[in-house]
Amino acid sequence: MTRSSYIFTSESVSEGHPDKVADRISDTVVDAFLAADPYARVACETMVTTNRIILAGEVRAPEAVLPGLIDSLEEKVRAAIKDIGYEQDGFHWKNSDYACYLHPQSADIAMGVDAAGNKDEGAGDQGIMFGYATNETPELMPATLQYSQNILSLLAKVRKSGEAKGLEPDAKSQVTLEYVNGKPVRATSIVLSTQHAEGLTPADVSDIVRPYIRTVMPDGFIDAATEWHINPTGNFVIGGPDGDCGLTGRKIIVDTYGGAAPHGGGAFSGKDPTKVDRSAAYMCRYLAKNVVAAGLADKCTIQIGFAIGVSKPLSFYVDLVNGQVDPAKLEKLLPELVGGATPRAIREHLKLNRPVYARSAAYGHFGRTPDADGGFSWEKTDLVDELKRLA
């Protein structure tokens, strides 16, 4: 039985967190390849540590452009790190050693994925993918995660503009909310750890960040009983890849629903859209969001299962909270609205073969505003009218 009153927590990390630096670099590589060839294949892993950047993985692009494309990556990677804001002795966009070990995609994998003859494009891997939406926030995201993401996104904005002096790129947030009758009503605790300039005390950092945190949280959520933990370790000068090695794909719960919904286990960043870890998870979110936006449920969870090299989904599951329609009907209807939910249909419906992924590497892949150039296309609610009519 679903509980209606409880306390729940989600965390987020900033774009300067070492794992997110790695995600940003891997998605910068994806964007570079898709800009050169919309049907390029990329599976890029990145490791960042003290003054060192290492890329590895598998790629495929036309032979005429591949060497020059790989040669161009270093400049793009360094530009991404500069945009994040790393110009520190232990990790600097200009001075860090760079090594690239990308190599051609396995022919065996390509054979299973590529369309040929009567065979449609298959999934790039086996796996289960989940999507989720809830009406507890305007973004149709879990409130604990959305507020955690918004706090760090705002702090990054004021750090880069110079409005907030003394903040550095690496940061983590955590928001704990009390739920009553299934709805968030107040913050029981807020945790914020941010890298800072030498000489600032925890009290100094608290004075800087608290006003911004208050602007993010809804009116009345922060009260006299709310616990604050700002830089609870006392000092956070050494941070980023210099303080902790970063790897692609280690923040999958931050990337999705903050623990409020199931996760299939596959990471997103560094993968082109033939990888269903990414594209099918985007489709699941898209469909779940449209179901909730249409008023058919307060919460919706969707799962799709795939086998590598096989185009037809093995399973399509819908679960609703306070649903206004039979989930079994949606399990039949929703795939039909998106061409059967095959890997090719997913890519084409959401127009995923575009260089729009680096922007998704921090502050969540979901709960974002669709961009005019196709970024975050999976956040559109263009199926709402059709769902209302058919339901």
Side-chain angles (χ1 to χ4, degrees), residues 56-87:
E58 302 77 48
V59 296
R60 190 176 80 181
E63 292 186 8
V65 303
L66 186 58
L69 186 52
I70 291 180
D71 289 343
S72 73
L73 292 179
E74 180 175 355
E75 181 180 358
K76 292 180 172 64
V77 166
R78 293 189 185 278
I81 297 170
K82 182 179 181 181
D83 180 65
I84 293 170
Y86 275 112
E87 296 183 343

Side-chain angles (χ1 to χ4, degrees), residues 13-22 24 48 80-81 83-86 88 91 152 156 159-160 168-172 195 236 239-244 246 361-363:
V13 298
S14 73
E15 63 197 87
H17 185 282
D19 293 333
K20 280 289 140 200
V21 174
R24 171 73 175 271
V48 288
I81 297 170
D83 180 65
I84 293 170
Y86 275 112
Q88 302 172 359
F91 192 71
L152 293 181
R159 169 179 62 84
K160 291 181 174 182
E168 297 291 343
D170 193 359
K172 301 179 77 170
Q195 187 185 18
F236 192 0
D242 186 32
D244 188 13
Y363 313 119

